[in-house]
Amino acid sequence: ETGVTQTPRHLVMGMTNKKSLKCEQHLGHNAMYWYKQSAKKPLELMFVYSLEERVENNSVPSRFSPECPNSSHLFLHLHTLQPEDSALYLCASSQQASGPHNEQFFGPGTRLTVL
Amino acid sequence: AQSVAQPEDQVNVAEGNPLTVKCTYSVSGNPYLFWYVQYPNRGLQFLLKYITGDNLVKGSYGFEAEFNKSQTSFHLKKPSALVSDSALYFCAVREGSGGSYIPTFGRGTSLIVHP
């Protein structure tokens, strides 16, 4: 679809579980992002990485923990989530974090349901 | 601070008719403006962007957008709508050089094209 892949596509977990979301981009981009998309709400930026360094953290609860081991991979580690965390989690990448060429390319998302 | 507004939750248009999806923005300096489309169960796809230059920007799938500085608008247009254009459309804005490099997304407008 876009050169950004996400796994798994669907995830159901209990509040005491620990799981991880994976994102991989094949576009040679330097910036990667995690977004949360909930019904009837604007897209919420969670984390931004530029050249594997976290450059933005939008007051996200500590039960969400990102990891960027290299410029092609991004993880979101989840633990002790709440039912209100159920949403579509989107990963995106862009050529650069700043400058005019930071249009984002999104993965298909992981549909997360917390029971 | 930057913000973007999409005043219509839903736009309905008949196939073959022209379509417009509205977007207005607010930034301190010069804006970088983006349009994205999201089909069901998919991530967002980049359609087009305005950085500088011609006010009329052409993008993917026959879409175009017109930057109007005086009205702080960046409306998305297409001369002849297709049923397959039915999707959720997002406008995004960020400040140009010197400003925040993180885009702000609108709430989205659902476009429904009737056969």
PDB file of all heavy atoms in Angstrom, chain A residues 45-82:
ATOM      1  N   LEU A  45      -1.387  12.904  17.988  1.00  0.00           N
ATOM      2  CA  LEU A  45       0.019  12.559  17.884  1.00  0.00           C
ATOM      3  C   LEU A  45       0.515  12.073  19.234  1.00  0.00           C
ATOM      4  O   LEU A  45       0.281  12.717  20.260  1.00  0.00           O
ATOM      5  CB  LEU A  45       0.831  13.776  17.440  1.00  0.00           C
ATOM      6  CG  LEU A  45       2.332  13.588  17.354  1.00  0.00           C
ATOM      7  CD1 LEU A  45       2.691  12.626  16.229  1.00  0.00           C
ATOM      8  CD2 LEU A  45       3.017  14.937  17.156  1.00  0.00           C
ATOM      9  N   MET A  46       1.212  10.929  19.230  1.00  0.00           N
ATOM     10  CA  MET A  46       1.734  10.376  20.487  1.00  0.00           C
ATOM     11  C   MET A  46       3.242  10.609  20.597  1.00  0.00           C
ATOM     12  O   MET A  46       3.722  11.159  21.583  1.00  0.00           O
ATOM     13  CB  MET A  46       1.426   8.889  20.559  1.00  0.00           C
ATOM     14  CG  MET A  46      -0.055   8.555  20.517  1.00  0.00           C
ATOM     15  SD  MET A  46      -0.348   6.783  20.509  1.00  0.00           S
ATOM     16  CE  MET A  46       0.043   6.340  22.197  1.00  0.00           C
ATOM     17  N   PHE A  47       3.973  10.150  19.618  1.00  0.00           N
ATOM     18  CA  PHE A  47       5.438  10.217  19.676  1.00  0.00           C
ATOM     19  C   PHE A  47       5.990  10.534  18.289  1.00  0.00           C
ATOM     20  O   PHE A  47       5.413  10.144  17.275  1.00  0.00           O
ATOM     21  CB  PHE A  47       6.037   8.886  20.136  1.00  0.00           C
ATOM     22  CG  PHE A  47       5.573   8.425  21.488  1.00  0.00           C
ATOM     23  CD1 PHE A  47       4.635   7.412  21.598  1.00  0.00           C
ATOM     24  CD2 PHE A  47       6.084   8.996  22.646  1.00  0.00           C
ATOM     25  CE1 PHE A  47       4.198   6.977  22.844  1.00  0.00           C
ATOM     26  CE2 PHE A  47       5.657   8.568  23.894  1.00  0.00           C
ATOM     27  CZ  PHE A  47       4.707   7.561  23.987  1.00  0.00           C
ATOM     28  N   VAL A  48       7.162  11.214  18.291  1.00  0.00           N
ATOM     29  CA  VAL A  48       7.886  11.484  17.062  1.00  0.00           C
ATOM     30  C   VAL A  48       9.344  11.119  17.287  1.00  0.00           C
ATOM     31  O   VAL A  48       9.931  11.489  18.309  1.00  0.00           O
ATOM     32  CB  VAL A  48       7.814  12.966  16.646  1.00  0.00           C
ATOM     33  CG1 VAL A  48       8.570  13.194  15.341  1.00  0.00           C
ATOM     34  CG2 VAL A  48       6.372  13.419  16.512  1.00  0.00           C
ATOM     35  N   TYR A  49       9.906  10.398  16.327  1.00  0.00           N
ATOM     36  CA  TYR A  49      11.325  10.088  16.344  1.00  0.00           C
ATOM     37  C   TYR A  49      11.961  10.662  15.082  1.00  0.00           C
ATOM     38  O   TYR A  49      11.422  10.526  13.982  1.00  0.00           O
ATOM     39  CB  TYR A  49      11.560   8.584  16.373  1.00  0.00           C
ATOM     40  CG  TYR A  49      11.469   7.979  17.752  1.00  0.00           C
ATOM     41  CD1 TYR A  49      10.228   7.650  18.289  1.00  0.00           C
ATOM     42  CD2 TYR A  49      12.604   7.754  18.508  1.00  0.00           C
ATOM     43  CE1 TYR A  49      10.133   7.109  19.558  1.00  0.00           C
ATOM     44  CE2 TYR A  49      12.521   7.201  19.782  1.00  0.00           C
ATOM     45  CZ  TYR A  49      11.281   6.881  20.300  1.00  0.00           C
ATOM     46  OH  TYR A  49      11.188   6.337  21.564  1.00  0.00           O
ATOM     47  N   SER A  50      13.112  11.289  15.257  1.00  0.00           N
ATOM     48  CA  SER A  50      13.897  11.772  14.132  1.00  0.00           C
ATOM     49  C   SER A  50      15.294  11.194  14.258  1.00  0.00           C
ATOM     50  O   SER A  50      15.959  11.419  15.281  1.00  0.00           O
ATOM     51  CB  SER A  50      13.959  13.299  14.122  1.00  0.00           C
ATOM     52  OG  SER A  50      14.770  13.756  13.066  1.00  0.00           O
ATOM     53  N   LEU A  51      15.705  10.443  13.259  1.00  0.00           N
ATOM     54  CA  LEU A  51      17.023   9.781  13.289  1.00  0.00           C
ATOM     55  C   LEU A  51      17.205   9.008  14.593  1.00  0.00           C
ATOM     56  O   LEU A  51      18.238   9.105  15.252  1.00  0.00           O
ATOM     57  CB  LEU A  51      18.133  10.819  13.103  1.00  0.00           C
ATOM     58  CG  LEU A  51      18.110  11.530  11.750  1.00  0.00           C
ATOM     59  CD1 LEU A  51      19.105  12.673  11.722  1.00  0.00           C
ATOM     60  CD2 LEU A  51      18.400  10.540  10.619  1.00  0.00           C
ATOM     61  N   GLU A  52      16.152   8.282  14.940  1.00  0.00           N
ATOM     62  CA  GLU A  52      16.138   7.370  16.085  1.00  0.00           C
ATOM     63  C   GLU A  52      16.132   8.073  17.436  1.00  0.00           C
ATOM     64  O   GLU A  52      16.220   7.416  18.477  1.00  0.00           O
ATOM     65  CB  GLU A  52      17.317   6.395  16.013  1.00  0.00           C
ATOM     66  CG  GLU A  52      17.336   5.558  14.745  1.00  0.00           C
ATOM     67  CD  GLU A  52      18.741   5.250  14.262  1.00  0.00           C
ATOM     68  OE1 GLU A  52      19.568   4.858  15.122  1.00  0.00           O
ATOM     69  OE2 GLU A  52      19.023   5.420  13.067  1.00  0.00           O
ATOM     70  N   GLU A  53      16.015   9.385  17.435  1.00  0.00           N
ATOM     71  CA  GLU A  53      15.947  10.119  18.698  1.00  0.00           C
ATOM     72  C   GLU A  53      14.533  10.653  18.890  1.00  0.00           C
ATOM     73  O   GLU A  53      13.960  11.258  17.982  1.00  0.00           O
ATOM     74  CB  GLU A  53      16.947  11.279  18.677  1.00  0.00           C
ATOM     75  CG  GLU A  53      16.944  12.113  19.961  1.00  0.00           C
ATOM     76  CD  GLU A  53      17.943  13.253  19.871  1.00  0.00           C
ATOM     77  OE1 GLU A  53      18.884  13.168  19.077  1.00  0.00           O
ATOM     78  OE2 GLU A  53      17.760  14.243  20.608  1.00  0.00           O
ATOM     79  N   ARG A  54      13.983  10.450  20.080  1.00  0.00           N
ATOM     80  CA  ARG A  54      12.640  10.941  20.333  1.00  0.00           C
ATOM     81  C   ARG A  54      12.661  12.464  20.426  1.00  0.00           C
ATOM     82  O   ARG A  54      13.412  13.038  21.216  1.00  0.00           O
ATOM     83  CB  ARG A  54      12.086  10.368  21.633  1.00  0.00           C
ATOM     84  CG  ARG A  54      10.589  10.658  21.808  1.00  0.00           C
ATOM     85  CD  ARG A  54      10.081  10.323  23.186  1.00  0.00           C
ATOM     86  NE  ARG A  54      10.355   8.961  23.607  1.00  0.00           N
ATOM     87  CZ  ARG A  54       9.977   8.480  24.796  1.00  0.00           C
ATOM     88  NH1 ARG A  54       9.306   9.242  25.622  1.00  0.00           N
ATOM     89  NH2 ARG A  54      10.276   7.247  25.130  1.00  0.00           N
ATOM     90  N   VAL A  55      11.845  13.124  19.613  1.00  0.00           N
ATOM     91  CA  VAL A  55      11.843  14.580  19.592  1.00  0.00           C
ATOM     92  C   VAL A  55      10.523  15.160  20.060  1.00  0.00           C
ATOM     93  O   VAL A  55      10.375  16.370  20.208  1.00  0.00           O
ATOM     94  CB  VAL A  55      12.161  15.124  18.180  1.00  0.00           C
ATOM     95  CG1 VAL A  55      13.576  14.759  17.795  1.00  0.00           C
ATOM     96  CG2 VAL A  55      11.182  14.595  17.148  1.00  0.00           C
ATOM     97  N   GLU A  56       9.527  14.315  20.277  1.00  0.00           N
ATOM     98  CA  GLU A  56       8.233  14.814  20.715  1.00  0.00           C
ATOM     99  C   GLU A  56       7.547  13.726  21.514  1.00  0.00           C
ATOM    100  O   GLU A  56       7.549  12.562  21.115  1.00  0.00           O
ATOM    101  CB  GLU A  56       7.366  15.201  19.514  1.00  0.00           C
ATOM    102  CG  GLU A  56       6.080  15.923  19.837  1.00  0.00           C
ATOM    103  CD  GLU A  56       6.289  17.399  20.069  1.00  0.00           C
ATOM    104  OE1 GLU A  56       7.323  17.935  19.649  1.00  0.00           O
ATOM    105  OE2 GLU A  56       5.409  18.023  20.684  1.00  0.00           O
ATOM    106  N   ASN A  57       6.975  14.126  22.623  1.00  0.00           N
ATOM    107  CA  ASN A  57       6.208  13.193  23.443  1.00  0.00           C
ATOM    108  C   ASN A  57       5.027  13.980  23.974  1.00  0.00           C
ATOM    109  O   ASN A  57       5.174  14.815  24.862  1.00  0.00           O
ATOM    110  CB  ASN A  57       7.067  12.663  24.588  1.00  0.00           C
ATOM    111  CG  ASN A  57       6.269  11.774  25.531  1.00  0.00           C
ATOM    112  OD1 ASN A  57       5.066  11.593  25.383  1.00  0.00           O
ATOM    113  ND2 ASN A  57       6.943  11.214  26.504  1.00  0.00           N
ATOM    114  N   ASN A  58       3.867  13.707  23.412  1.00  0.00           N
ATOM    115  CA  ASN A  58       2.709  14.553  23.683  1.00  0.00           C
ATOM    116  C   ASN A  58       1.932  14.144  24.922  1.00  0.00           C
ATOM    117  O   ASN A  58       0.761  13.822  24.835  1.00  0.00           O
ATOM    118  CB  ASN A  58       1.776  14.529  22.459  1.00  0.00           C
ATOM    119  CG  ASN A  58       1.955  15.762  21.617  1.00  0.00           C
ATOM    120  OD1 ASN A  58       2.868  16.526  21.793  1.00  0.00           O
ATOM    121  ND2 ASN A  58       1.059  15.949  20.680  1.00  0.00           N
ATOM    122  N   SER A  59       2.583  14.169  26.080  1.00  0.00           N
ATOM    123  CA  SER A  59       1.893  13.863  27.344  1.00  0.00           C
ATOM    124  C   SER A  59       1.134  12.553  27.264  1.00  0.00           C
ATOM    125  O   SER A  59      -0.044  12.472  27.613  1.00  0.00           O
ATOM    126  CB  SER A  59       0.923  14.998  27.708  1.00  0.00           C
ATOM    127  OG  SER A  59       1.609  16.215  27.837  1.00  0.00           O
ATOM    128  N   VAL A  60       1.810  11.543  26.810  1.00  0.00           N
ATOM    129  CA  VAL A  60       1.209  10.221  26.675  1.00  0.00           C
ATOM    130  C   VAL A  60       1.418   9.446  27.972  1.00  0.00           C
ATOM    131  O   VAL A  60       2.509   9.492  28.545  1.00  0.00           O
ATOM    132  CB  VAL A  60       1.856   9.467  25.496  1.00  0.00           C
ATOM    133  CG1 VAL A  60       1.275   8.068  25.359  1.00  0.00           C
ATOM    134  CG2 VAL A  60       1.675  10.256  24.209  1.00  0.00           C
ATOM    135  N   PRO A  61       0.401   8.727  28.443  1.00  0.00           N
ATOM    136  CA  PRO A  61       0.572   7.946  29.683  1.00  0.00           C
ATOM    137  C   PRO A  61       1.724   6.957  29.562  1.00  0.00           C
ATOM    138  O   PRO A  61       2.005   6.424  28.482  1.00  0.00           O
ATOM    139  CB  PRO A  61      -0.767   7.220  29.812  1.00  0.00           C
ATOM    140  CG  PRO A  61      -1.740   8.047  29.048  1.00  0.00           C
ATOM    141  CD  PRO A  61      -0.964   8.656  27.925  1.00  0.00           C
ATOM    142  N   SER A  62       2.347   6.680  30.693  1.00  0.00           N
ATOM    143  CA  SER A  62       3.531   5.821  30.695  1.00  0.00           C
ATOM    144  C   SER A  62       3.218   4.371  30.357  1.00  0.00           C
ATOM    145  O   SER A  62       4.151   3.579  30.126  1.00  0.00           O
ATOM    146  CB  SER A  62       4.211   5.880  32.074  1.00  0.00           C
ATOM    147  OG  SER A  62       3.317   5.454  33.079  1.00  0.00           O
ATOM    148  N   ARG A  63       1.955   4.017  30.305  1.00  0.00           N
ATOM    149  CA  ARG A  63       1.610   2.644  29.900  1.00  0.00           C
ATOM    150  C   ARG A  63       1.876   2.415  28.410  1.00  0.00           C
ATOM    151  O   ARG A  63       1.806   1.293  27.927  1.00  0.00           O
ATOM    152  CB  ARG A  63       0.159   2.314  30.243  1.00  0.00           C
ATOM    153  CG  ARG A  63      -0.876   3.247  29.657  1.00  0.00           C
ATOM    154  CD  ARG A  63      -2.265   2.885  30.196  1.00  0.00           C
ATOM    155  NE  ARG A  63      -3.328   3.678  29.624  1.00  0.00           N
ATOM    156  CZ  ARG A  63      -3.757   4.815  30.158  1.00  0.00           C
ATOM    157  NH1 ARG A  63      -3.206   5.286  31.269  1.00  0.00           N
ATOM    158  NH2 ARG A  63      -4.735   5.494  29.569  1.00  0.00           N
ATOM    159  N   PHE A  64       2.178   3.501  27.684  1.00  0.00           N
ATOM    160  CA  PHE A  64       2.630   3.415  26.300  1.00  0.00           C
ATOM    161  C   PHE A  64       4.113   3.747  26.273  1.00  0.00           C
ATOM    162  O   PHE A  64       4.520   4.831  26.697  1.00  0.00           O
ATOM    163  CB  PHE A  64       1.889   4.417  25.407  1.00  0.00           C
ATOM    164  CG  PHE A  64       0.422   4.147  25.294  1.00  0.00           C
ATOM    165  CD1 PHE A  64      -0.484   4.745  26.164  1.00  0.00           C
ATOM    166  CD2 PHE A  64      -0.067   3.302  24.313  1.00  0.00           C
ATOM    167  CE1 PHE A  64      -1.838   4.500  26.067  1.00  0.00           C
ATOM    168  CE2 PHE A  64      -1.431   3.050  24.202  1.00  0.00           C
ATOM    169  CZ  PHE A  64      -2.310   3.651  25.078  1.00  0.00           C
ATOM    170  N   SER A  65       4.929   2.846  25.742  1.00  0.00           N
ATOM    171  CA  SER A  65       6.366   3.047  25.730  1.00  0.00           C
ATOM    172  C   SER A  65       6.906   2.816  24.322  1.00  0.00           C
ATOM    173  O   SER A  65       6.856   1.704  23.806  1.00  0.00           O
ATOM    174  CB  SER A  65       7.031   2.076  26.712  1.00  0.00           C
ATOM    175  OG  SER A  65       8.429   2.172  26.637  1.00  0.00           O
ATOM    176  N   PRO A  66       7.419   3.862  23.666  1.00  0.00           N
ATOM    177  CA  PRO A  66       7.937   3.680  22.313  1.00  0.00           C
ATOM    178  C   PRO A  66       9.391   3.223  22.318  1.00  0.00           C
ATOM    179  O   PRO A  66      10.133   3.415  23.286  1.00  0.00           O
ATOM    180  CB  PRO A  66       7.823   5.085  21.718  1.00  0.00           C
ATOM    181  CG  PRO A  66       8.076   5.978  22.894  1.00  0.00           C
ATOM    182  CD  PRO A  66       7.489   5.264  24.092  1.00  0.00           C
ATOM    183  N   GLU A  67       9.757   2.633  21.182  1.00  0.00           N
ATOM    184  CA  GLU A  67      11.154   2.236  20.985  1.00  0.00           C
ATOM    185  C   GLU A  67      11.481   2.368  19.515  1.00  0.00           C
ATOM    186  O   GLU A  67      10.706   1.915  18.663  1.00  0.00           O
ATOM    187  CB  GLU A  67      11.371   0.780  21.431  1.00  0.00           C
ATOM    188  CG  GLU A  67      12.788   0.277  21.226  1.00  0.00           C
ATOM    189  CD  GLU A  67      12.927  -1.220  21.465  1.00  0.00           C
ATOM    190  OE1 GLU A  67      11.919  -1.879  21.788  1.00  0.00           O
ATOM    191  OE2 GLU A  67      14.052  -1.729  21.301  1.00  0.00           O
ATOM    192  N   CYS A  68      12.613   2.958  19.210  1.00  0.00           N
ATOM    193  CA  CYS A  68      13.037   3.127  17.821  1.00  0.00           C
ATOM    194  C   CYS A  68      14.474   2.637  17.701  1.00  0.00           C
ATOM    195  O   CYS A  68      15.416   3.421  17.846  1.00  0.00           O
ATOM    196  CB  CYS A  68      12.912   4.587  17.404  1.00  0.00           C
ATOM    197  SG  CYS A  68      13.211   4.875  15.648  1.00  0.00           S
ATOM    198  N   PRO A  69      14.669   1.354  17.409  1.00  0.00           N
ATOM    199  CA  PRO A  69      16.024   0.803  17.376  1.00  0.00           C
ATOM    200  C   PRO A  69      16.850   1.259  16.180  1.00  0.00           C
ATOM    201  O   PRO A  69      18.079   1.275  16.246  1.00  0.00           O
ATOM    202  CB  PRO A  69      15.788  -0.709  17.321  1.00  0.00           C
ATOM    203  CG  PRO A  69      14.424  -0.847  16.728  1.00  0.00           C
ATOM    204  CD  PRO A  69      13.643   0.341  17.199  1.00  0.00           C
ATOM    205  N   ASN A  70      16.177   1.627  15.092  1.00  0.00           N
ATOM    206  CA  ASN A  70      16.856   2.170  13.909  1.00  0.00           C
ATOM    207  C   ASN A  70      15.836   2.970  13.112  1.00  0.00           C
ATOM    208  O   ASN A  70      14.640   2.962  13.450  1.00  0.00           O
ATOM    209  CB  ASN A  70      17.486   1.051  13.073  1.00  0.00           C
ATOM    210  CG  ASN A  70      16.484  -0.008  12.672  1.00  0.00           C
ATOM    211  OD1 ASN A  70      15.518   0.282  11.961  1.00  0.00           O
ATOM    212  ND2 ASN A  70      16.693  -1.230  13.148  1.00  0.00           N
ATOM    213  N   SER A  71      16.275   3.620  12.069  1.00  0.00           N
ATOM    214  CA  SER A  71      15.383   4.543  11.361  1.00  0.00           C
ATOM    215  C   SER A  71      14.278   3.846  10.582  1.00  0.00           C
ATOM    216  O   SER A  71      13.367   4.490  10.095  1.00  0.00           O
ATOM    217  CB  SER A  71      16.192   5.434  10.412  1.00  0.00           C
ATOM    218  OG  SER A  71      16.882   4.640   9.471  1.00  0.00           O
ATOM    219  N   SER A  72      14.337   2.531  10.473  1.00  0.00           N
ATOM    220  CA  SER A  72      13.320   1.805   9.719  1.00  0.00           C
ATOM    221  C   SER A  72      12.266   1.152  10.599  1.00  0.00           C
ATOM    222  O   SER A  72      11.242   0.712  10.096  1.00  0.00           O
ATOM    223  CB  SER A  72      13.960   0.709   8.857  1.00  0.00           C
ATOM    224  OG  SER A  72      14.825   1.258   7.906  1.00  0.00           O
ATOM    225  N   HIS A  73      12.524   1.049  11.877  1.00  0.00           N
ATOM    226  CA  HIS A  73      11.628   0.308  12.765  1.00  0.00           C
ATOM    227  C   HIS A  73      11.187   1.156  13.947  1.00  0.00           C
ATOM    228  O   HIS A  73      11.977   1.915  14.517  1.00  0.00           O
ATOM    229  CB  HIS A  73      12.314  -0.956  13.292  1.00  0.00           C
ATOM    230  CG  HIS A  73      12.588  -1.980  12.236  1.00  0.00           C
ATOM    231  ND1 HIS A  73      13.727  -1.956  11.455  1.00  0.00           N
ATOM    232  CD2 HIS A  73      11.849  -3.039  11.814  1.00  0.00           C
ATOM    233  CE1 HIS A  73      13.685  -2.970  10.609  1.00  0.00           C
ATOM    234  NE2 HIS A  73      12.560  -3.644  10.797  1.00  0.00           N
ATOM    235  N   LEU A  74       9.932   0.970  14.297  1.00  0.00           N
ATOM    236  CA  LEU A  74       9.359   1.677  15.436  1.00  0.00           C
ATOM    237  C   LEU A  74       8.423   0.726  16.156  1.00  0.00           C
ATOM    238  O   LEU A  74       7.638   0.022  15.515  1.00  0.00           O
ATOM    239  CB  LEU A  74       8.595   2.914  14.956  1.00  0.00           C
ATOM    240  CG  LEU A  74       8.020   3.853  16.011  1.00  0.00           C
ATOM    241  CD1 LEU A  74       9.141   4.501  16.824  1.00  0.00           C
ATOM    242  CD2 LEU A  74       7.159   4.933  15.345  1.00  0.00           C
ATOM    243  N   PHE A  75       8.525   0.699  17.478  1.00  0.00           N
ATOM    244  CA  PHE A  75       7.673  -0.168  18.277  1.00  0.00           C
ATOM    245  C   PHE A  75       6.873   0.687  19.261  1.00  0.00           C
ATOM    246  O   PHE A  75       7.303   1.774  19.664  1.00  0.00           O
ATOM    247  CB  PHE A  75       8.501  -1.190  19.068  1.00  0.00           C
ATOM    248  CG  PHE A  75       9.236  -2.179  18.204  1.00  0.00           C
ATOM    249  CD1 PHE A  75      10.515  -1.898  17.729  1.00  0.00           C
ATOM    250  CD2 PHE A  75       8.655  -3.393  17.865  1.00  0.00           C
ATOM    251  CE1 PHE A  75      11.195  -2.801  16.931  1.00  0.00           C
ATOM    252  CE2 PHE A  75       9.325  -4.307  17.072  1.00  0.00           C
ATOM    253  CZ  PHE A  75      10.602  -4.010  16.601  1.00  0.00           C
ATOM    254  N   LEU A  76       5.730   0.158  19.649  1.00  0.00           N
ATOM    255  CA  LEU A  76       4.962   0.750  20.732  1.00  0.00           C
ATOM    256  C   LEU A  76       4.634  -0.367  21.709  1.00  0.00           C
ATOM    257  O   LEU A  76       3.863  -1.277  21.394  1.00  0.00           O
ATOM    258  CB  LEU A  76       3.682   1.406  20.212  1.00  0.00           C
ATOM    259  CG  LEU A  76       2.884   2.219  21.225  1.00  0.00           C
ATOM    260  CD1 LEU A  76       3.707   3.404  21.737  1.00  0.00           C
ATOM    261  CD2 LEU A  76       1.580   2.715  20.620  1.00  0.00           C
ATOM    262  N   HIS A  77       5.280  -0.310  22.868  1.00  0.00           N
ATOM    263  CA  HIS A  77       5.070  -1.335  23.886  1.00  0.00           C
ATOM    264  C   HIS A  77       3.910  -0.925  24.781  1.00  0.00           C
ATOM    265  O   HIS A  77       3.831   0.226  25.229  1.00  0.00           O
ATOM    266  CB  HIS A  77       6.356  -1.523  24.706  1.00  0.00           C
ATOM    267  CG  HIS A  77       7.555  -1.869  23.877  1.00  0.00           C
ATOM    268  ND1 HIS A  77       7.615  -3.002  23.092  1.00  0.00           N
ATOM    269  CD2 HIS A  77       8.736  -1.210  23.696  1.00  0.00           C
ATOM    270  CE1 HIS A  77       8.791  -3.040  22.475  1.00  0.00           C
ATOM    271  NE2 HIS A  77       9.481  -1.970  22.810  1.00  0.00           N
ATOM    272  N   LEU A  78       3.027  -1.893  25.029  1.00  0.00           N
ATOM    273  CA  LEU A  78       1.790  -1.621  25.754  1.00  0.00           C
ATOM    274  C   LEU A  78       1.743  -2.460  27.022  1.00  0.00           C
ATOM    275  O   LEU A  78       2.029  -3.664  26.978  1.00  0.00           O
ATOM    276  CB  LEU A  78       0.585  -1.978  24.878  1.00  0.00           C
ATOM    277  CG  LEU A  78       0.630  -1.550  23.409  1.00  0.00           C
ATOM    278  CD1 LEU A  78      -0.538  -2.164  22.651  1.00  0.00           C
ATOM    279  CD2 LEU A  78       0.614  -0.044  23.300  1.00  0.00           C
ATOM    280  N   HIS A  79       1.363  -1.847  28.125  1.00  0.00           N
ATOM    281  CA  HIS A  79       1.179  -2.630  29.351  1.00  0.00           C
ATOM    282  C   HIS A  79       0.162  -1.960  30.252  1.00  0.00           C
ATOM    283  O   HIS A  79       0.111  -0.740  30.356  1.00  0.00           O
ATOM    284  CB  HIS A  79       2.512  -2.840  30.082  1.00  0.00           C
ATOM    285  CG  HIS A  79       3.137  -1.581  30.579  1.00  0.00           C
ATOM    286  ND1 HIS A  79       3.009  -1.129  31.882  1.00  0.00           N
ATOM    287  CD2 HIS A  79       3.896  -0.656  29.954  1.00  0.00           C
ATOM    288  CE1 HIS A  79       3.670  -0.006  32.022  1.00  0.00           C
ATOM    289  NE2 HIS A  79       4.221   0.315  30.874  1.00  0.00           N
ATOM    290  N   THR A  80      -0.634  -2.791  30.900  1.00  0.00           N
ATOM    291  CA  THR A  80      -1.715  -2.360  31.799  1.00  0.00           C
ATOM    292  C   THR A  80      -2.566  -1.269  31.181  1.00  0.00           C
ATOM    293  O   THR A  80      -2.764  -0.186  31.744  1.00  0.00           O
ATOM    294  CB  THR A  80      -1.176  -1.905  33.171  1.00  0.00           C
ATOM    295  OG1 THR A  80      -0.265  -0.805  32.992  1.00  0.00           O
ATOM    296  CG2 THR A  80      -0.478  -3.038  33.864  1.00  0.00           C
ATOM    297  N   LEU A  81      -3.061  -1.563  29.981  1.00  0.00           N
ATOM    298  CA  LEU A  81      -3.894  -0.584  29.290  1.00  0.00           C
ATOM    299  C   LEU A  81      -5.294  -0.535  29.885  1.00  0.00           C
ATOM    300  O   LEU A  81      -5.709  -1.437  30.616  1.00  0.00           O
ATOM    301  CB  LEU A  81      -3.968  -0.920  27.806  1.00  0.00           C
ATOM    302  CG  LEU A  81      -2.676  -0.796  27.016  1.00  0.00           C
ATOM    303  CD1 LEU A  81      -2.964  -0.890  25.519  1.00  0.00           C
ATOM    304  CD2 LEU A  81      -1.949   0.490  27.321  1.00  0.00           C
ATOM    305  N   GLN A  82      -6.021   0.511  29.509  1.00  0.00           N
ATOM    306  CA  GLN A  82      -7.383   0.729  29.943  1.00  0.00           C
ATOM    307  C   GLN A  82      -8.325   0.570  28.746  1.00  0.00           C
ATOM    308  O   GLN A  82      -7.912   0.764  27.593  1.00  0.00           O
ATOM    309  CB  GLN A  82      -7.527   2.137  30.529  1.00  0.00           C
ATOM    310  CG  GLN A  82      -6.555   2.439  31.655  1.00  0.00           C
ATOM    311  CD  GLN A  82      -6.772   1.526  32.853  1.00  0.00           C
ATOM    312  OE1 GLN A  82      -7.895   1.338  33.301  1.00  0.00           O
ATOM    313  NE2 GLN A  82      -5.684   0.949  33.366  1.00  0.00           N
TER     314      GLN A  82
END
